[in-house]
Amino acid sequence: MKSLKHFLLVYNRQSGETDVRQEFPSTEGRAALRARFQLEREFRGQDTEIVVLTGSSLAALRKTHSRYFGSAAGRVLSAA
């Protein structure tokens, strides 16, 4: 079984675009959450969601969390 990773994403609700900011190994869950909280402060007041998703790969998350990747306008802006 593949080890899980944490992916830090910034999702723009208005445009449907997803920016994959960073990938963290399974042992760095707390660091991923700290980075999330920092981004939430930076994006405060904007129409965005800052999330940490956990999965075996970004491709797996595209299937299980299509909300962040599935819209016609949605795309990944930067690679982890």
Side-chain angles (χ1 to χ4, degrees), residues 5-66:
K5 300 173 188 168
H6 307 287
F7 296 88
L8 177 63
L9 301 122
V10 177
Y11 175 71
N12 183 305
R13 290 183 187 118
Q14 190 171 33
S15 70
E17 294 177 343
T18 298
D19 181 0
V20 180
R21 290 294 179 104
Q22 196 169 352
E23 178 181 323
F24 295 84
S26 62
T27 58
E28 295 295 321
R30 287 181 185 218
L33 288 176
R34 282 193 298 271
R36 174 189 163 199
F37 298 145
Q38 176 62 39
L39 283 177
E40 285 179 345
R41 286 189 291 274
E42 291 177 26
F43 282 88
R44 183 171 289 139
Q46 298 181 34
D47 196 17
T48 59
E49 287 182 45
I50 314 300
V51 296
V52 173
L53 301 178
T54 302
S56 59
S57 68
L58 194 54
L61 291 177
R62 288 176 198 253
K63 291 178 183 177
T64 60
H65 292 79
S66 61

